[in-house]
Every structure is written in structure tokens, then in C-alpha cells.
Amino acid sequence: MDIIIWSRLQFAMTAAYHWLFVPLTLGLAMVMATMETLYVIKKDEFWLKTTKFWMKLFAINFAVGIATGIILEFEFGTNWSNYSWFVGDMFGAPLAIEGILAFFMEATFFAVMFFGWNKVSKRFHLISTWLTGIGATISAYWILVANGWMQNPVGTTFNPDTVRSEMASAQAFWEVVSNPVAVSKFFHSVTSGWMTGAVFVVGVSCWYLLKGREKEFARKSIIVGGIVGLIGSAAVMLSGDASGIHAAEFQPMKLAAAEGLEDGGRRAPFTIIPGIKIPGMLSILATHDLDGYVPGINDIIRGYTDNDGNVIPSVEKKMEMGRTALDALATYRELRETNPDSAAVARAILDENVQYMGYGHLEKPEDVIPPVGMVFWAFRFMIGIGMLIALVLLLTTWLSWKNRIADKKWLLWTALWCIPLVYIGGQSGWVVAEVGRQPWTIQGLLPVNVAISSLSAAAVKTTFFLFLAIFAAFLIIEIRILLGTIKNGPKISED
Amino acid sequence: MLTIFKKIWKFYADGIRSHKLGPPLLFLIFLKFFIMFAILKTFFFKPAMAGMTDEQKSETVGNNILRNHNDSTFNLKTD
């Protein structure tokens, strides 16, 4: 395998590892903050002990997961140096805000939350618990602003002198932070985190019920976790709908790949699994209109007219414009010192074609097609698992509310098995988002083969296996500590 | 000022000591930071353009972007 594959594998592994910890942090924070709110309102010691137990599991996850995202930044600088420089101006602000917020909010309020039980007032402690979760959520927003920009690079202009995408004004910054792709991605990712936290709480509680332990603790934890999870599920569906609309608008190839749609059209069907289709459903999902046109892979290659009447050029045409942009960039760089007038003409040609600059690096139109099979099945895993989990959360919450859950062994086992499933669902979502946008690191501007550093594949391979060993070791440690703590239980003597 | 820092330090230290899981988790965090910064960052993840000025970085990335670009059919006219 070559350097690009190894670098991509390494980045994917690190990001996937990071995403094991983040959703549980986001979700568990909501669950335990709700529980602590119940404690402050009801003044019931039961909720205090319950909150403290889930907080302990939150702390373990937080400690093992801390700073795993920084490794991604190492990889940017070493493996993806062209990309790193290209986006440096644009990523600087969001990532700096994220770093400062993550550090100050999480370090401060996490400490008050975890260590301050008898040192600050109940209300201040409760505020700190909420702010820990809110801090992590805001922090996620800035990361997703950066990611959203890579999917839909708005608000920036390419500067041929610095060879960077730059934000020229405060207005540009606003365009970047309010990028619709970033906003829908934020809600989708964060609320899927709520589902993860909820499934964890419900699954662990079901294990206690299977063991005949901590019955009241488990039942009430399922109700709180289940309600958070159901709110999360509804929000995931709504934000997923927005994501579908945005994919159709900004990344139609990703949508076509996720559907395995070779030839599109109006009243396009949605494929549940190969062979089973719902007529017109894809048009509704992608455009909110039964007669909406959804382009397939071949249409995108050949060029098409979108629902607003815009003529979208063929990939061949985009490649031509991309090559024009690259030629203009080369000419501009060559002449900017010696012949400013000609350089200005080259600059104007570059500006005219720059949105397709990345296409100039492609060898053939088919290079814009991502791995269809992987994206297609990841999309189905994500949706299928999400729907199963919403159903399990609904049933467990309802039956716990009615105090009839303890004898439903099949449901308790299903809820327990939903813990690994929710992670598979979340990771599948990222596969759709990231594999689905191949070959681009930045949509239309920079393909992966140009974003990469000049390294040897052997060097990246070495660090890949090094990471694999380190990540596996830390994950085993976390799971062991988590399981030990769960086994000990909250020790609430209410049964 | 020193008193505030002492109070903050005591708050963290007492907090960590008072939890059974505090010391092992803190050890894990330090171990991870050591592996990340003292080993990985130092020996395996040197920035590819370390030591370059911004102008040199622009030049290098510009060259890299144009390196694979080989267009035999298009001639840019700037006159």
C-alpha cells in the first residue's frame, strides 16, 4: 500500500478512536446533569448517589479519552503538511477557540464537578456539572466548523501568494461559523452523542437488572437515560434530514454513493437494502419534494441541471477548469515579481476557475467516485442501528416507567448489546461523512494525493502500528476500569 | 496571588486524593501525555515543514501543489 492509503488509515484510526470517547462524554454529561438537577430539586439523596456513580464512569472515560484529538493535529503537521498549510489560516481561529474553551471550561468546571461536592454550594455544583457538558458541546462545535468547511468550503478565498484559503473579513468568519453543513453536522454529531450516553446508561442499568442488583437505581437510571436518548434520537433524525438536504446540495456524489445510485432522476427511490426500494423516497429526503431531481453517479460525471435550474458542468469540464486554475497559479507565481500586469491577468483567470482547482489534479472523471460499497453499507448500518436503538430506548423507558421491565429478559439483553451497536452506528456515520467525500480533503479544492507530505510509506506504517498498540492498550485499561467500577456498583441500599 | 494558586492546587490535590480512582486516573493521564509528547511528538511526528519561514512554506506548498500538474494541452495567455 502506498503513503496515501497508510496516512488515511492512520488518520481514520485516530479519529475513530477519538470518537469512542467524545460521544460518551457528551451524552453522559447530559444524563448526569439531569440526574443532579433532580437531586437539587427533589433534595433526595438517592439522586445524589446515582449522579455520583455515573459521574465516576464519566471521569474514567474522560481521563482515558483526554487529548486523543491532539494526535490528529500531530498527523496534520507531519503526514498532511500541504493540507495543513493550505487550511492554516482558516482553521486557526476555530481550533484556537476550541483549545481555549476545552481547556478552561472543561478543566475548571470538571474539577468543581468532580472534586467540589462538599466545597461549593449545591447550586454552584449543579451549574458546574451543566457547564462541563456545555463546554464539551461548544468545543465540539468548533471542531465541526473546521470539518464542515472541508465538506463545503465557504467564506474563504484562495490567496496565490500564501497558497492558503484565507478569511478576508469578519463577514467571512461569520460565513464559516454559520456554514449550514457545520451546523447540521454539529447537531447530528452531538445528539448522536446523547444517544450513546443514553444507551450506555440504559445498557449498564439493564445488566444490573439481569443480575437482580440495584433494581431501583437501574429502573430510575433507565428512565432518565432513556428520555435523554429519545430526545437525542428525535434530534438525530431531524439533523440527519438536514444533512441529507445539504449533501444533495453541496456533495451530491456522497449522496449518490450512499444510495448506490448510478443513474438518478425525479421521484428517485430510496434503497432499504439491495432489492427493496421505496419509490420517490430519496427525492423526498434529498429535496423535500417527491418530484425533486437527484443526480446519480453517472449524471454527476456527465453533468446535469439541478432543481434550481443551474447547469452543473461535467467532471471533464471541471477538470479542464481545474487545469486552467493550476496553470494560472503557476503563471502568476512565475510572473508576479517580473511582470505584474501579466501576473494580474493570470490571477483573474485563477480566481475565475479556482472553485474547481482540485479537479485539475484528477487523472480521469471516475476519480471523483468514492468507494461506493463501503459508503452504501455504512449508511445502512448507521440508519438501521439508530432506528433499532430508538425503539429499544422507547420500550425500556416505557416499561421502566410502568415498573414492568425487570422480567423482560430479552429486552434487557437487547439493551445491553446496544452498547457496542451504538458505537458501530456512530462510527458508520463518520465513514459515510468522510469516506463519502473522497477523493477530497477539501471539497473541490484539494484532493488527498496533493494534501499529503512527502514521506515514506514505511514511516507512516511504523507509526500506524505504534498507535494501534498504544490505543489498544489504553482502551483495554479503560474497559477494565469501567467494568470493575460497574461491577462494584453504586451500592445504593434501596432494594 | 500566591494564596489563590495554593488554594487551587490544594483543591485539585485534595480532590484527587479523596477519590479511590483519582491517583490511577491521574497516572494514566500523565502516562498518556508522556507517550504523546515526549515520545511520539519528539521522535515520530516532527512537522514536515519545521524550521521554515512562512514564505518558504508558501513556496514549498505551492511547488507541491503544482508538482503533479502536467497539462500539455492548455497554454495560458496573459498578454
Side-chain angles (χ1 to χ4, degrees):
Chain A
M1 287 197 288
D2 66 4
I3 173 78
I4 299 170
I5 299 288
W6 278 111
S7 295
R8 284 180 56 202
L9 274 177
Q10 187 181 73
F11 197 86
M13 179 177 66
T14 315
Y17 180 70
H18 184 51
W19 193 251
L20 292 177
F21 303 102
V22 177
L24 190 57
T25 297
L26 295 169
L28 215 43
M30 289 302 121
V31 176
M32 64 192 196
T34 308
M35 288 172 170
E36 192 178 338
T37 306
L38 288 170
Y39 160 62
V40 172
I41 292 170
K42 294 187 166 190
K43 297 179 179 63
D44 181 347
E45 287 292 309
F46 167 83
W47 285 113
L48 174 65
K49 288 177 185 166
T50 302
T51 305
K52 281 187 172 178
F53 176 72
W54 294 113
M55 207 171 267
K56 206 186 279 181
L57 300 184
F58 176 90
I60 296 165
N61 180 64
F62 188 89
V64 182
I66 201 166
T68 44
I70 292 175
I71 301 170
L72 295 169
E73 292 184 29
F74 293 175
E75 291 171 23
F76 281 146
T78 305
N79 300 359
W80 302 95
S81 58
N82 293 332
Y83 158 85
S84 223
W85 177 255
F86 196 95
V87 302
D89 182 76
M90 184 270 143
F91 276 21
L95 294 187
I97 296 170
E98 190 275 334
I100 293 164
L101 266 174
F103 182 78
F104 285 107
M105 279 192 81
E106 291 176 38
T108 308
F109 294 112
F110 176 85
V112 175
M113 177 184 85
F114 207 54
F115 305 141
W117 281 109
N118 301 316
K119 294 178 180 171
V120 298
S121 71
K122 273 185 196 172
R123 281 179 192 281
F124 185 70
H125 192 279
L126 177 63
I127 290 168
S128 299
T129 304
W130 276 107
L131 285 177
T132 301
I134 291 169
T137 306
I138 295 172
S139 167
Y141 184 71
W142 293 106
I143 296 290
L144 293 166
V145 161
N147 183 278
W149 182 83
M150 289 154 70
Q151 320 266 351
N152 177 35
V154 293
T156 53
T157 43
F158 176 70
N159 182 341
D161 290 310
T162 58
V163 196
R164 289 185 127 173
S165 269
E166 296 177 353
M167 283 185 287
S169 62
Q171 172 65 23
F173 180 74
W174 173 246
E175 273 184 60
V176 170
V177 298
S178 62
N179 182 352
V181 175
V183 174
S184 59
K185 198 171 262 293
F186 166 73
F187 282 108
H188 202 55
S189 307
V190 168
T191 52
S192 76
W194 294 7
M195 286 179 78
T196 306
V199 166
F200 180 79
V201 169
V202 170
V204 170
S205 301
C206 286
W207 181 78
Y208 284 128
L209 292 178
L210 281 166
K211 293 280 167 191
R213 292 174 53 189
E214 323 285 352
K215 289 177 190 161
E216 196 57 13
F217 161 85
R219 194 178 72 82
K220 288 183 175 170
S221 290
I222 290 172
I223 293 171
V224 175
I227 289 170
V228 169
L230 286 169
I231 293 169
S233 305
V236 161
M237 281 182 223
L238 287 173
S239 55
D241 175 64
S243 288
I245 295 282
H246 294 146
E249 192 176 350
F250 305 116
Q251 296 175 301
M253 183 58 90
K254 182 193 281 185
L255 186 69
E259 270 307 300
L261 187 70
E262 290 186 1
D263 295 299
R266 299 190 184 279
R267 300 198 174 208
F270 178 82
T271 306
I272 297 175
I273 51 167
I276 303 177
K277 297 183 179 196
I278 305 176
M281 192 64 188
L282 182 61
S283 283
I284 293 172
L285 290 174
T287 65
H288 286 178
D289 178 1
L290 180 62
D291 289 318
Y293 176 77
V294 182
I297 293 168
N298 295 331
D299 306 304
I300 295 166
I301 301 269
R302 287 190 298 254
Y304 63 97
T305 303
D306 72 12
N307 287 296
D308 297 325
N310 303 310
V311 176
I312 308 298
S314 67
V315 175
E316 191 70 60
K317 178 72 184 161
K318 289 178 186 174
M319 287 168 66
E320 194 185 312
M321 289 190 275
R323 289 195 292 268
T324 303
L326 290 171
D327 269 334
L329 175 63
T331 307
Y332 172 81
R333 283 160 56 83
E334 197 183 320
L335 300 179
R336 65 186 160 181
E337 309 271 315
T338 56
N339 189 344
D341 291 342
S342 296
V345 175
R347 172 79 192 254
I349 295 170
L350 171 62
D351 289 346
E352 212 173 289
N353 295 282
V354 73
Q355 64 169 318
Y356 299 117
M357 189 168 74
Y359 286 85
H361 294 288
L362 304 180
E363 287 177 10
K364 54 187 188 305
E366 289 73 23
D367 287 349
V368 296
I369 305 171
V372 175
M374 190 191 284
V375 180
F376 177 87
W377 284 109
F379 190 48
R380 268 131 204 92
F381 274 127
M382 177 186 75
I383 293 178
I385 289 172
M387 290 174 77
L388 171 72
I389 282 171
L391 182 66
V392 170
L393 287 173
L394 187 67
L395 282 174
T396 48
T397 309
W398 173 252
L399 290 171
S400 296
W401 188 273
K402 292 283 169 192
N403 207 359
R404 286 184 354 226
I405 191 166
D407 57 343
K408 305 281 185 298
K409 302 280 183 211
W410 63 272
L411 183 60
L412 298 175
W413 278 111
T414 308
L416 184 58
W417 278 105
C418 277
I419 296 177
L421 277 182
V422 78
Y423 283 97
I424 294 170
Q427 300 287 353
S428 299
W430 280 109
V431 168
V432 175
E434 301 304 307
V435 178
R437 72 178 158 105
Q438 294 304 313
W440 306 109
T441 47
I442 305 164
Q443 187 75 29
L445 290 178
L446 197 68
V448 283
N449 61 325
V450 185
I452 199 108
S453 304
S454 307
L455 294 170
S456 72
V460 184
K461 207 166 148 182
T462 307
T463 48
F464 174 88
F465 286 109
L466 199 61
F467 276 158
L468 190 63
I470 294 168
F471 291 165
F474 273 98
L475 195 61
I476 290 167
I477 292 170
E478 181 193 38
I479 291 172
R480 283 180 69 104
I481 300 175
L482 273 177
L483 291 180
T485 310
I486 291 168
K487 225 175 222 178
N488 277 338
K491 297 197 170 97
I492 299 175
S493 52
E494 87 288 342
D495 298 334
Chain B
M1 196 65 179
L2 203 64
T3 326
I4 293 173
F5 283 118
K6 269 187 185 168
K7 276 186 179 170
I8 293 172
W9 172 258
K10 199 172 159 3
F11 179 76
Y12 276 81
D14 288 350
I16 289 163
R17 268 196 297 266
S18 67
H19 285 80
K20 196 177 153 196
L21 277 173
L25 288 182
L26 194 68
F27 172 75
L28 263 185
I29 290 171
F30 281 124
L31 177 67
K32 181 192 262 185
F33 278 127
F34 177 77
I35 292 171
M36 277 171 59
F37 290 100
I39 300 174
L40 293 175
K41 179 73 179 160
T42 311
F43 297 107
F44 296 99
F45 283 93
K46 290 177 183 159
M49 295 194 289
M52 289 185 192
T53 63
D54 281 358
E55 286 74 23
Q56 288 168 326
K57 286 178 185 172
S58 299
E59 198 61 27
T60 306
V61 175
N63 291 340
N64 289 344
I65 283 180
L66 293 168
R67 190 178 50 198
N68 297 327
H69 169 55
N70 180 22
D71 178 20
S72 56
T73 57
F74 186 82
N75 292 307
L76 192 74
K77 291 194 173 31
T78 56
D79 303 324

